[in-house]
Amino acid sequence: MEILVLQGPNINLIGVQSGKVGERVTLDKINKGLRQHAHGINLEIQLCFLQTHKAEKAVSFIQRKRNKAAGILLAPTSWGRYEYSIFDALQLSALPCIQVLFDDNYGALHESDSIYTSLCKKTLLGHPLDVFNNSLDSLLSYIS
């Protein structure tokens, strides 16, 4: 089973923000932790990651993978305020989607601010190292 993990603008620089709060969180650590969590749940889960700043790459990713994927974890960051082309691609894909938002220490986009809230099955907010794992668990509960 393939799960798409779409990470929006500036998540690649999460280490800069984590340093301000005395932590060492990086995109690599987030993705590695999510892979380990997925492997611990089920050996059949394959995660397909894309972190990009460009909406057109995100739309292509969703369109290209929509027939093979079972669901999507979406960390929209600033796309959550305005990126309707991604909204349309998600809606057209008809894949179950969980929105991943970070807590206030990481420049949170709040659930009420995001255009994706109504489209996603659920929105989870938390620390970057935990919220992706919790979101995967939540997504798998919708898929199974």
Side-chain angles (χ1 to χ4, degrees), residues 88-101:
D88 290 345
L90 289 168
Q91 191 171 38
L92 290 167
S93 77
L95 291 169
C97 182
I98 301 295
Q99 182 173 219
V100 178
L101 302 178

Side-chain angles (χ1 to χ4, degrees), residues 68-137:
K68 295 179 184 176
I72 301 174
L73 299 181
L74 171 67
T77 62
S78 62
W79 289 336
R81 290 191 171 88
Y82 63 87
E83 199 49 68
Y84 285 94
S85 61
I86 295 171
F87 182 96
D88 290 345
L90 289 168
Q91 191 171 38
L92 290 167
S93 77
L95 291 169
C97 182
I98 301 295
Q99 182 173 219
V100 178
L101 302 178
F102 302 143
D103 63 27
D104 287 332
N105 289 332
Y106 292 89
L109 170 70
H110 296 281
E111 183 176 358
S112 61
D113 297 333
S114 176
I115 62 173
Y116 303 108
T117 300
S118 64
L119 180 67
C120 293
K121 297 286 186 189
K122 194 171 192 177
T123 296
L124 294 174
L125 173 74
H127 188 280
L129 293 175
D130 299 325
V131 72
F132 276 99
N133 293 345
N134 296 337
S135 296
L136 178 60
D137 294 341

Side-chain angles (χ1 to χ4, degrees), residues 3 13 19 23 31 33 35 60 65 85 92 105 113 117 135:
I3 303 293
L13 295 178
E23 296 183 345
N31 291 347
R35 280 188 195 99
S60 294
K65 301 283 190 175
S85 61
L92 290 167
N105 289 332
D113 297 333
T117 300
S135 296

Side-chain angles (χ1 to χ4, degrees), residues 46-65:
Q46 296 177 4
L47 300 175
C48 184
F49 292 90
L50 176 67
Q51 186 283 316
T52 184
H53 314 295
K54 298 183 179 187
E56 61 270 14
K57 283 188 177 185
V59 169
S60 294
F61 178 71
I62 295 164
Q63 289 180 357
R64 197 173 54 251
K65 301 283 190 175

